[in-house]
C-alpha cells in the first residue's frame, strides 16, 4: 500500500470518530497522523518499526494501526465504526468542505441518510433554518452534492444539461456546423444520463478541437467517433456529412433494443445517406416515432398498429401550476410571490400545497396558520379576474393510510394532494395498502409522488403499481408525475397503463421557489416518454375545465 492509502485510513477514522462524538483528542491525533504520513518521502512499507515510530505524532497506538494496515489492508477500528454508520452518511464524509459536525447535525435533525435525500432537502430549503447553516451554505452544499453525484458516472438529466449545453455552444462556436444536435440518452431525454453525446455535420477537422486545453481526447474510434472530456464532463462526439445527418441521428439516438425491433419490421434495411430522420421512417414504411419513445422494440409494433399518440404533450400545454410550497411551510418565496410569478410566466392557475401539520420537519401548517393562509388567498383572488389560486395542501399520508387533519378541515380545501413522507421503509404489501386507503379517502384528488423515490439515491418503497392505478381509476383520483428532476415519480413506464385505465396524470413541479416552477419541463420530458398527451394530463385543462374536474368528487 502507498503512504497515501495508509494515511487516508487515518483520515477516515478521524472523520467518522468525530461524527460519532468521540473524544476530540483522539480523533485530532489521528488527523495529525494522516498529515504527517502524507508528508513522508520514504514508503512506510520500506521503513522499520523504529523509523515509523520516530515520525512526528506517531505513538505506539498509531504504530500498531499502521502495521495492521500494512499487514491486512484494513483498519479494524475503522471497520467497526463503518458497521454502525449508514453507507450514505459515510459517503457524505468523502465530500470536501462538508465536515462531520454538519453531517451529524443533518443526520440527526433531518434524518437524511443518503446523498440524494440531502440534495432534495437542499432543494426544499430544509437547511436554511438549521444552526450553522443558511441560504449560502445550503447553495454551496447543493453544488457539492451535485458534483459528487455526477462523479459517480451517472447524472440526473437536469444536472448534466447545463454542462451539455455549454459543450454544444462551444462546438457551435468552434465548428460552425451545418447541423448539430444531442443524440443518445440526451436525445431521448432520459431522466438519468450516463454520458453526453452530440452529432455534428461539419467539414472542419475534428482533431483540431483537442488542441484546446478545455477538451481532452480519451479515445478515437474509426474516423468519426471521439470520446473525450470537456471541462471535466465526459462527452462523445460523432461526426458526419450533412447528407447523412438524418441516418446518423436516427442510429445514435435510438436505443439498441429499439434499433433491433425497427430493423425486424422495416421494409428496407439500408438507411445510409439520409439527411432527415423522417426519410429513414418513410423508407422503412414505419410511422415516425419521436426520439423520446425509442427505448424498446415494442414501441415499433405500437407505431405500426397506429396505437401511438399522433401528438405528445408539450410544455406549452400545461395551463396550471399544481403542487407549490411557500414560506408558510418550507418554500423560499411568499404566497404572493409564487402567485405573481406563476401568472407572469403565463399560467392560468396555481394550487398552493404547503405541507400539512404532521410534517413538523417542513414547518407544516397547523389549523390556525391554515386559516391565515386561506384569508390571504381570498384577498389575492379578489384582485384577479383571469387567474385563480386554489386552496390545497400536500397532506401527509399517515402510517395507517389516513390523511392529516380532521374531516372538518379536509372538506374546506379545494382539493388535496396525498403523499407519503415518513416511515418509508415499507414492504410492498404495507406500502400498497397504505396508499390504497389514502386513495379511497373521499377528499384525495391527486396521489403525490407514489413511490417516494429519489433518482440515483433512493429506490423508493415497492408498490403494486397496477393495483394503485386501478384504485385511482375507481375513485376518480389523478396521479402526480412529480416533475422535480430528482423524483420524476410516477415512473414514465406506468403512464400507458394509467392512460388505459382513464387515470389523468398531473405534471407537478413540487416547486419550493419561483424558479422551481420551471421544473415542469422535466416532467414533460418524462411524460412524453410515457406517451402522455394533453388530453390525458390533468393540468393541461383550462381553468374552467380544471375547476369542473376538482369539484366533481
Amino acid at each position: 500500500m502507498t503512504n497515501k492509502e495508509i494515511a487516508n485510513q487515518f483520515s477516515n477514522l478521524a472523520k467518522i470518530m468525530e461524527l460519532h462524538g468521540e473524544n476530540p483528542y483522539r480523533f485530532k491525533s489521528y488527523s495529525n497522523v494522516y498529515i504527517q504520513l502524507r508528508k513522508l518521502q520514504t514508503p512506510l512499507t520500506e521503513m522499520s518499526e523504529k523509523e515509523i515510530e520516530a515520525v512526528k505524532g506517531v505513538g505506539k497506538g498509531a504504530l500498531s494501526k499502521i502495521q495492521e494496515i500494512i499487514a491486512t489492508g484494513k483498519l479494524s477500528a475503522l471497520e467497526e465504526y463503518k458497521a454502525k454508520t449508514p453507507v450514505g452518511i459515510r459517503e457524505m464524509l468523502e465530500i470536501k468542505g462538508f465536515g462531520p459536525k454538519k453531517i451529524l447535525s443533518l443526520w440527526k435533525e433531518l434524518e437524511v441518510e443518503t446523498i440524494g435525500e440531502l440534495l432534495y432537502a437542499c432543494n426544499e430549503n430544509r437547511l436554511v433554518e438549521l444552526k450553522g447553516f443558511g441560504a449560502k451554505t445550503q447553495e454551496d452544499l447543493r453544488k457539492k452534492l451535485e458534483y459528487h453525484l455526477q462523479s459517480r458516472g451517472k447524472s440526473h438529466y437536469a444536472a448534466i444539461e447545463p454542462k451539455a449545453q455549454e459543450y454544444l455552444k462551444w462546438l457551435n462556436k468552434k465548428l460552425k456546423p451545418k447541423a448539430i444536435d444531442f443524440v443518445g440518452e440526451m436525445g431521448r431525454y432520459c431522466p438519468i444520463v450516463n454520458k453526453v453525446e452530440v452529432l455534428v455535420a461539419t467539414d472542419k477537422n475534428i482533431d483540431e478541437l483537442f488542441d484546446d486545453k478545455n477538451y481532452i481526447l480519451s479515445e478515437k474510434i474509426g474516423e468519426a467517433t471521439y470520446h473525450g472530456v470537456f471541462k471535466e464532463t465526459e462527452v462523445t462526439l460523432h461526426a458526419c456529412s450533412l447528407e447523412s445527418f438524418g441516418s446518423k441521428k436516427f442510429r445514435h439516438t435510438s436505443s439498441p433494443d429499439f434499433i433491433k425491433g425497427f430493423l425486424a419490421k422495416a421494409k428496407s434495411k439500408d438507411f445510409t445517406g439520409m439527411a432527415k430522420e423522417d426519410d429513414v421512417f418513410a423508407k422503412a414504411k414505419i410511422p415516425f416515432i419521436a426520439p423520446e419513445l425509442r427505448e424498446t422494440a415494442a414501441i415499433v409494433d405500437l407505431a405500426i398498429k397506429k396505437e401511438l399518440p399522433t401528438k405528445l404533450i408539450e410544455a406549452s400545454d400545461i395551463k396550471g401550476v399544481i403542487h407549490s410550497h411557500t414560506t408558510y411551510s418550507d418554500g423560499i418565496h411568499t404566497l404572493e410571490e409564487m402567485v405573481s410569478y406563476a401568472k407572469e410566466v403565463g399560467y392560468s392557475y396555481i394550487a398552493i400545497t404547503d405541507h400539512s401539520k404532521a410534517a413538523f420537519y417542513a414547518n407544516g401548517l397547523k389549523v390556525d396558520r391554515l386559516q391565515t393562509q386561506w384569508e390571504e388567498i381570498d384577498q389575492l383572488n379578489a384582485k384577479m379576474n383571469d387567474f385563480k389560486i386554489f386552496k390545497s395542501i400536500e397532506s401527509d399520508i399517515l402510517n395507517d393510510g389516513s390523511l392529516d387533519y380532521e374531516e372538518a378541515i379536509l372538506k374546506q380545501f379545494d382539493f388535496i394532494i396525498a403523499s407519503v413522507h415518513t416511515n418509508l421503509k415499507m414492504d410492498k404489501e404495507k406500502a400498497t395498502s397504505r396508499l390504497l386507503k389514502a386513495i379511497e379517502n373521499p377528499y384525495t384528488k391527486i396521489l403525490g409522488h407514489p413511490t417516494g423515490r429519489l433518482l440515483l439515491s433512493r429506490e423508493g418503497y415497492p408498490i403494486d403499481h397496477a393495483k394503485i392505478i386501478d384504485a385511482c381509476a375507481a375513485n376518480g383520483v389523478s396521479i402526480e408525475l412529480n416533475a422535480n428532476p430528482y423524483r420524476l415519480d410516477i415512473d414514465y413506464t406506468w403512464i400507458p397503463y394509467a392512460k388505459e385505465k382513464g387515470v389523468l396524470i398531473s405534471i407537478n413541479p413540487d416547486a419550493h421557489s419561483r424558479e422551481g416552477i420551471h421544473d415542469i419541463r422535466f416532467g414533460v420530458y418524462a411524460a412524453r416518454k410515457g406517451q402522455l398527451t394533453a388530453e390525458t394530463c390533468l393540468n393541461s385543462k383550462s381553468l374552467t375545465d380544471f375547476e369542473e374536474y376538482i369539484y366533481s368528487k
Side-chain angles (χ1 to χ4, degrees), residues 3-4 7 32-42 55-56:
N3 287 357
K4 181 179 178 181
N32 184 54
V33 170
Y34 160 75
I35 293 170
Q36 298 304 323
L37 297 185
R38 288 290 302 268
K39 294 178 181 178
L40 291 177
Q41 299 297 314
T42 307
V55 175
K56 183 180 178 181

Side-chain angles (χ1 to χ4, degrees), residues 13 96 154 192 201 219 230 303 316 367 387 413 422 462 470 498:
L13 179 59
K96 292 183 179 180
K154 293 184 177 181
I192 300 299
E219 180 185 17
F230 177 76
S316 58
V367 175
F387 189 93
F413 291 106
T422 56
D470 289 347

Side-chain angles (χ1 to χ4, degrees), residues 258 262 277 281 286-294 299-301 303-304 308:
F258 177 86
F262 187 87
E277 281 191 300
F281 286 91
I286 293 174
F288 182 81
I289 300 172
E292 295 95 324
L293 300 180
R294 299 178 203 166
I299 286 291
V300 179
D301 291 325
I304 292 172
L308 289 180

Side-chain angles (χ1 to χ4, degrees), residues 451-469:
T451 72
R453 76 177 184 185
L454 294 176
L455 293 170
L456 292 183
S457 168
R458 188 170 75 203
E459 192 173 6
Y461 39 83
I463 64 173
D464 186 329
H465 278 85
K467 189 176 287 188
I468 293 299
I469 292 170

